[in-house]
Amino acid sequence: MRYHAPPREAVDPAMFARQPLAAWHEHAALLEGDEWPSIDGLNDALLNEATIRFVAQTPALLADGMHYEQRIAERGEVATREGNWHDLLNALIWLRYPELKQSLNQRQMAEIARMGPKLRSRAQYAMTHFDEAGVIVVVRDPALLALWDAHDWYGLFWRQRQAWLDGAIQVEVFGHALLEHALSPDKLLVGKALAFHAACEVDMIDVRRACIEAIAAGQLLCDPLELRPLPLSGIPGWRADNDDEAFHRTTVCYQPRRLDRQYPEAMRLV
């Protein structure tokens, strides 16, 4: 069933104090205000050196017949529906991660040139899944990766709960659809993750740079099966009820691994 975000006035303010939305507090005026931000307001939040701008998605705009990605690549225009959570949150991703969004756009354009505007490649599906529900995850201990590979969610989120608290696992949400789902308190969030392995603590800026370079080089997001499911609702603090061990034994977002499902090795960071 297709998800419908709650009306702006119906969103519980407490959701903006809970992860993953709490990480976007610098944009509280855009997210939490009584009124929807205007397109001009979104453009005012762009950096001076920004290569894109937001434009209202109107019938007149769509009449140009251009592909959404083509409009970004050739005109620097991100078509944005006004009064729409999904597109507002996509705009926030552009504000925080412009280089990563641009790398996806460049790869999408290369695939459109190869496949044509009506067909979609495995790489395009992978990039779209990541754009909508993507998570960047850095893991220090290979044993944690082994638990993740096996879908041992009880082990990963309960027995190794401290790993999520002390930085042994670092998570950054990129997908705007994930942020949209987080507006509803009953939603159990599951991200589609790119996994990185680092033997020591690393700055997420450096991780994003490595991710951008790998996407641009075609080393990542060539197939949707590269993406690992990660039940974000199990992370400590992301839901009040995951403080209870029973959550980690019974929650429906903890799905077993299919017998034939294999994941690529996590990309190693130097």
Side-chain angles (χ1 to χ4, degrees):
M1 181 180 294
R2 185 176 180 181
Y3 172 70
H4 294 282
R8 191 176 183 90
E9 64 276 7
V11 176
D12 183 350
M15 301 311 297
F16 297 111
R18 192 172 90 182
Q19 295 291 3
L21 292 171
W24 297 82
H25 183 69
E26 76 267 29
H27 296 301
L30 301 176
L31 278 172
E32 302 176 44
D34 293 335
E35 302 294 329
W36 286 101
S38 65
I39 297 295
D40 286 342
L42 294 176
N43 285 322
D44 288 344
L46 287 166
L47 298 175
N48 291 334
E49 62 269 24
T51 59
I52 60 97
R53 64 189 181 93
F54 305 106
V55 296
Q57 181 173 303
T58 63
L61 179 74
L62 298 180
D64 63 14
M66 296 181 75
H67 191 286
Y68 172 84
E69 300 287 353
Q70 182 185 8
R71 200 178 288 112
I72 295 172
E74 296 182 7
R75 295 184 186 172
E77 295 179 345
V78 180
T80 303
R81 293 168 292 181
E82 298 181 274
N84 181 280
W85 279 118
H86 192 81
D87 286 15
L88 171 59
L89 292 163
N90 182 52
L92 296 191
I93 299 293
W94 272 104
L95 294 179
R96 180 176 286 182
Y97 304 118
E99 296 90 354
L100 186 45
K101 291 288 268 186
Q102 288 283 9
S103 69
L104 290 175
N105 175 251
Q106 291 163 11
R107 278 279 307 283
Q108 287 279 13
M109 286 301 297
E111 289 299 299
I112 290 169
R114 186 172 73 87
M115 301 292 296
K118 301 205 179 282
L119 297 177
R120 287 173 62 79
S121 67
R122 298 286 292 176
Q124 283 175 285
Y125 282 117
M127 288 185 281
T128 298
H129 290 178
F130 184 70
D131 194 38
E132 295 284 344
V135 185
I136 297 171
V137 182
V138 183
V139 181
R140 289 191 218 159
D141 185 350
L144 298 172
L145 281 168
L147 293 174
W148 189 2
D149 283 345
H151 287 207
D152 182 353
W153 307 123
Y154 179 81
L156 185 63
F157 288 105
W158 184 252
R159 287 182 175 153
Q160 297 293 334
R161 192 170 180 79
Q162 189 60 36
W164 300 93
L165 300 172
D166 65 14
I169 303 177
Q170 296 170 263
V171 176
E172 200 162 77
V173 171
F174 175 76
H176 54 284
L178 275 179
L179 298 179
E180 184 183 18
H181 280 70
L183 295 164
S184 299
D186 60 329
K187 275 291 181 183
L188 293 168
L189 304 180
V190 179
K192 297 185 177 184
L194 288 175
F196 295 84
H197 176 224
C200 58
E201 186 175 355
V202 292
D203 192 314
M204 287 303 289
I205 294 175
D206 295 328
V207 179
R208 289 197 299 273
R209 186 177 298 114
C211 186
I212 290 166
E213 292 172 356
I215 290 171
Q219 297 170 337
L220 288 178
L221 298 180
C222 298
D223 191 288
L225 291 178
E226 292 175 33
L227 294 164
R228 300 159 176 252
L230 184 68
L232 301 171
S233 291
I235 300 175
W238 286 45
R239 287 181 67 93
D241 52 354
N242 78 23
D243 285 342
D244 187 340
E245 182 180 3
F247 176 92
H248 303 279
R249 294 194 180 277
T250 61
T251 183
V252 296
C253 67
Y254 287 178
Q255 293 294 306
R257 182 178 64 86
R258 297 197 318 265
L259 291 177
D260 61 343
R261 188 70 162 97
Q262 299 292 328
Y263 298 112
E265 288 188 13
M267 178 168 284
R268 183 174 292 276
L269 299 170
V270 177

